[in-house]
């Protein structure tokens, strides 16, 4: 009787070892996550007013959006005017050197814009800009 000794070793060698490939994929994933820059958005589309003196604001700003109806959006969430200060304080704790940019719609009421600016200043941020577009 002849015993087939190579039958079990052929079954072991027939598979492809995916461990090195998975290691490389995970290292690449970690690299891209660490090196990517995250863009913050207010969460709503705003029709900004035009200004001849518009300047580019540095990245890393806290964005606050004011819609035409007076709705205030911070960090992709609608916020009541009484809660703006608390939200800004929380974001300032995450980014101590950040400035604030208010993206007010051209149809938004000026009174709401001033109230939001006051709440941002009370939260401890002195650099506030209003977003516009160049014509």
């Amino acid at each position: 009787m002849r015993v087939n000794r190579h039958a079990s070793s052929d079954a072991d060698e027939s598979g492809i070892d995916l461990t090195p490939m998975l290691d490389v994929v995970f290292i690449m994933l970690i690299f891209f996550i660490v090196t990517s820059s995250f863009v913050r958005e207010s969460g709503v589309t705003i029709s900004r007013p035009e200004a001849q003196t518009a300047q580019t604001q540095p990245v890393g700003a806290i964005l606050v959006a004011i819609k035409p109806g007076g709705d205030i959006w911070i960090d992709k969430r609608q916020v009541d005017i009484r809660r703006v200060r608390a939200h800004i304080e929380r974001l300032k704790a995450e980014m101590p050197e950040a400035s604030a940019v208010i993206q007010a719609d051209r149809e938004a009421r000026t009174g709401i814009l001033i109230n939001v600016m006051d709440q941002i200043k009370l939260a401890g941020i002195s650099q506030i800009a209003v977003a516009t577009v160049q014509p």
Side-chain angles (χ1 to χ4, degrees):
M1 281 198 356
R2 195 170 206 195
V3 178
N4 192 357
R5 295 181 189 168
H6 300 290
S8 64
S9 64
D10 287 342
D12 291 340
E13 293 178 14
S14 64
I16 298 174
D17 187 17
L18 296 178
T19 306
M21 183 184 73
L22 290 175
D23 289 343
V24 170
V25 169
F26 283 129
I27 289 171
M28 288 175 48
L29 179 66
I30 291 170
F31 173 77
F32 288 124
I33 289 173
V34 170
T35 59
S36 66
S37 63
F38 297 100
V39 177
R40 290 186 174 258
E41 296 179 4
S42 59
V44 292
T45 304
I46 300 295
S47 176
R48 292 184 259 170
E50 294 180 357
Q52 296 289 333
T53 59
Q55 296 177 352
T56 304
Q57 183 72 16
V59 181
I62 297 171
L63 299 177
V64 179
I66 303 173
K67 292 183 72 173
D71 298 333
I72 301 166
W73 289 75
I74 302 173
D75 213 15
K76 297 182 181 179
R77 284 183 270 168
Q78 188 173 356
V79 178
D80 186 53
I81 186 69
R82 296 170 293 213
R83 301 292 304 151
V84 169
R85 182 177 177 182
H87 280 281
I88 297 298
E89 287 173 346
R90 179 181 53 83
L91 292 172
K92 186 178 186 297
E94 294 173 9
M95 300 179 294
E97 299 297 321
S99 60
V101 176
I102 301 174
Q103 298 173 325
D105 193 278
R106 69 179 73 216
E107 302 297 324
R109 292 182 30 218
T110 309
I112 294 172
L113 174 64
I114 299 300
N115 285 338
V116 169
M117 289 177 76
D118 283 342
Q119 294 299 314
I120 292 171
K121 283 187 178 183
L122 289 172
I125 296 179
S126 59
Q127 295 180 343
I128 303 172
V130 178
T132 60
V133 291
Q134 292 179 336

